[in-house]
Amino acid sequence: MNFTSFILYCFIVTFTPGPTNIVILSTVHNTGTKKALEYTYGATLAFGLLLLISAMLNTMLIGIIPKILNLMQVIGSFYMIYLAYQIYKMDSSKSSEKQSGTFMSGFLMQFLNPKVVLFTMTVIPSYILPYHVKMSTVTISVIVITIIGFLAFITWVLFGSIFKVFLQKQKKTVNIVMAFCLVYAAVMIWI
């Protein structure tokens, strides 16, 4: 196994903008770091769970994976467009409780996020299983990838926290840009 290639792949996929990272940034902007962290914890737990599911079921699902991935693309695209609309119409002058990111929304987002589903369904069979089939090695790999994902999410929280004052002065513009990025991500999974 090319460990460098594996680590680079994990970092590139998890740190680049995607639906989860955009929602994290938007949550920091609109409701604060505490709520973004709550969302991040849910997203991280689901990310690790998806990796574990992928590792355990990959060989059993080999014949139906394309059908599952197509369904996830459709559901994920609609969910990202819904999130884009919610971010676009978000009014931070209203109560933040209704608009804030929660642990459960972060958790559920991962299961509907095509970028995450595709990544978790490909990283284990591409980089781990061809070289290591021991449960201990696969488990360590899942933990390492989950930690990398968590570091990516926290980076987006920190970025949002550092630039929060600027982002709050440009609320509507930031919401439009974040919404556009989500729509772009929804379209890009089909190209």
Side-chain angles (χ1 to χ4, degrees), residues 53-185:
I53 291 168
S54 172
M56 292 171 49
L57 300 178
N58 188 46
T59 55
M60 293 173 19
L61 297 175
I62 214 81
I64 61 169
I65 284 177
K67 294 175 189 169
I68 291 172
L69 293 180
N70 287 337
L71 177 64
M72 291 309 295
Q73 279 181 300
V74 171
I75 293 170
S77 293
F78 281 113
Y79 186 65
M80 285 188 282
I81 290 169
Y82 167 77
L83 285 175
Y85 175 72
Q86 293 299 316
I87 289 170
Y88 172 76
K89 74 174 191 132
M90 189 175 289
D91 180 6
S92 57
S93 64
K94 294 181 181 175
S95 170
S96 64
E97 288 305 310
K98 284 184 172 182
Q99 301 175 26
S100 60
T102 63
F103 179 89
M104 190 54 72
S105 64
F107 184 84
L108 294 175
M109 170 66 169
Q110 296 303 74
F111 289 94
L112 298 175
N113 181 344
K115 179 182 174 185
V116 170
V117 172
L118 289 171
F119 173 74
T120 59
M121 295 296 278
T122 59
V123 70
I124 300 293
S126 298
Y127 286 97
I128 309 301
L129 294 179
Y131 308 101
H132 306 286
V133 291
K134 286 175 132 181
M135 185 56 92
S136 60
T137 305
V138 173
T139 302
I140 290 169
S141 299
V142 166
I143 292 168
V144 167
I145 298 167
T146 303
I147 290 169
I148 292 170
F150 177 71
L151 293 173
F153 299 151
I154 289 297
T155 299
W156 281 83
V157 171
L158 291 173
F159 174 77
S161 297
I162 291 168
F163 292 104
K164 186 174 183 168
V165 173
F166 168 77
L167 296 172
Q168 285 179 336
K169 288 181 182 177
Q170 304 295 324
K171 287 178 187 178
K172 191 62 177 174
T173 303
V174 169
N175 285 351
I176 290 170
V177 169
M178 293 296 109
F180 174 76
C181 288
L182 276 172
V183 170
Y184 176 77

